[in-house]
Every structure is written in structure tokens, then in C-alpha cells.
Amino acid sequence: MSQMLTESPLDTRNAVLDQVCDAGDPWMAEVKKGQIFRILDLEGNQAVDTLFYSAADPEERYSAVDTIARQRQLYLTTGSVLYSSEGRPMLTITADTCGRHDTLGGACAAESNTVRYALEKRPMHSCRDSFMHALNHCGCAMHRHMSKRDITANINFFMNVPVTADGHLKFDDGISGAGKYVEMRAEMDVVVLISNCPQLNNPCNAYNPTPVRLLVWDAV
């Protein structure tokens, strides 16, 4: 897939939300239809595991299967539409200075750290831990009665997961750099759930997890 590098015309000074999510932390917020949502890689080579839900009904959520099948592409970039489990557009990528984002690598967990790396890695913090923490502590999840059953296949923004000729996945060095970002227009009211990946066992974070910046602009 060719990389569709596209700059955004938006000024960060006009954002209605501007927050930093520290390395390894979760983040959760609602983005209204028509608003623009940006994830900015502050220091480079940071994977950002992300899930999207319909704010009206979180049982409708981002579907990796629908998104891949509808566009016949494994990776996301400018122009990609993120589809829901009901086949509806949730968000459209409108700007992207990284060029490619993973749909297949999934989120690290205690179990996968154990299987992939070593038994002693099991207690290490993981994206699944971050997702669970947010679902149990963030108001926008609690009043929707969201729980671990709502953790499904996620997008890994900025993460580099090539598919080999024999159909295997590789976790390679990231293709992102400091200041690169991806920007999306919400096509419905959505809830965003992020784990700013704490993984230390593969190069998806350059073995050094770092903060990311999250911004939202009102529709123009």
C-alpha cells in the first residue's frame, strides 16, 4: 500500500481539547460527529493502541474485519474509512504524516507477553491492562456499563507490523518520528479508548515508551 502523506491545515491553538497521555497510560474521551481528532507522536516510534465505539450504543464498535474487507487494504492512511461492526462509517482519516497504521497486530496482554517472550514477562504492564483500567475508571465507560467484553480487535496507530511472504506478522521498528500525527473526522459520535502502549519486549516503541498528544477541533 502506498503511503498517503497529508498535512493538516488545523492550528493547535484552536483545539477544544489538548491533552498529553503519558507512556503506558490509558486515555478515554468522546468525540462528536464532525469533530476532528488528532493523535500526535511526540517523540517518535510510539505505538498507540486504539478502539472506537458508537457513543449512542457501545455494542457498535470499530470492526477490523469490516474496515479491511470494505477497502481491501491491511493498513490505514489518508482516505481510509474506519467501519463499525454494523458496517457504518465511524471515522475517516483526513490527514496523516506517518503514512501507514496497523490493523492486525492487536494489543499486548499478560498472556501474549508470556507466549511471545518469557514466563517472567507475565507481570509486565500491557495494553489490555490499560484498556481495563479505563473501562473501570472513566466516566464515559462507566455510565455506558462497558466492561472487558468490549475489548475487541484494535488499531495500532504508528505501529509497523509487516506481513511476510509466508503470511506471518513481524513487529518491526516504527516508521513514525517525533511530531508525526494522524487525524480523523468523526462520522458519528464516538467514544475513543487508547492504550499508549507500554511494550518493552519488541521494537514497536523503540523499547522506550513515550507520551503522545491528543487534540480535538470542532467541526468547521
Side-chain angles (χ1 to χ4, degrees):
M1 177 182 180
S2 61
Q3 295 184 356
M4 301 288 289
L5 301 182
T6 310
E7 297 274 354
S8 170
L10 296 175
D11 189 330
T12 58
R13 293 171 295 183
N14 297 328
V16 297
L17 181 148
D18 187 349
Q19 297 178 354
V20 170
C21 180
D22 289 334
D25 280 0
W27 183 89
M28 199 169 190
E30 186 171 342
V31 178
K32 299 291 187 181
K33 181 178 179 179
Q35 288 186 321
I36 304 295
F37 172 56
R38 178 187 294 181
I39 305 174
L40 190 153
D41 189 357
L42 285 170
E43 298 183 31
N45 278 12
Q46 175 61 31
V48 184
D49 294 44
T50 308
L51 288 161
F52 297 100
Y53 305 87
S54 164
D57 178 8
E59 290 193 6
E60 180 179 7
R61 72 281 306 270
Y62 164 76
S63 168
V65 171
D66 286 89
T67 298
I68 294 167
R70 295 281 289 269
Q71 295 165 115
R72 298 184 179 181
Q73 295 284 356
L74 290 179
Y75 304 108
L76 305 175
T77 188
T78 306
S80 297
V81 178
L82 313 185
Y83 285 94
S84 78
S85 52
E86 299 298 321
R88 299 199 296 155
M90 300 189 79
L91 303 104
T92 301
I93 297 179
T94 54
D96 181 16
T97 61
C98 175
R100 195 179 76 179
H101 307 273
D102 169 63
T103 60
L104 298 178
C108 58
E111 294 78 9
S112 62
N113 282 340
T114 300
V115 171
R116 288 174 179 159
Y117 309 113
L119 183 61
E120 60 266 25
K121 305 295 186 180
R122 184 178 178 86
M124 295 182 72
H125 186 56
S126 69
C127 285
R128 185 173 175 84
D129 292 336
S130 290
F131 286 152
M132 286 292 295
H133 186 277
L135 290 173
N136 283 282
H137 293 88
C138 294
C140 54
M142 296 172 67
H143 85 262
R144 291 180 172 88
H145 306 291
M146 297 173 70
S147 69
K148 64 182 180 181
R149 65 184 171 82
D150 295 300
I151 301 174
T152 57
N154 59 283
I155 298 169
N156 293 306
F157 287 109
F158 309 116
M159 193 159 126
N160 186 22
V161 186
V163 179
T164 65
D166 57 359
H168 290 90
L169 300 180
K170 294 172 58 186
F171 294 92
D172 278 0
D173 286 335
I175 58 173
S176 181
K180 292 188 181 294
Y181 58 82
V182 59
E183 204 167 88
M184 293 153 272
R185 180 183 64 245
E187 309 295 357
M188 62 171 72
D189 292 352
V190 296
V191 172
V192 185
L193 173 57
I194 281 175
S195 167
N196 192 23
C197 184
Q199 183 60 258
L200 294 168
N201 299 292
N202 73 51
C204 71
N205 298 322
Y207 302 101
N208 178 39
T210 53
V212 294
R213 185 178 177 189
L214 295 317
L215 302 102
V216 175
W217 288 262
D218 279 337
V220 292

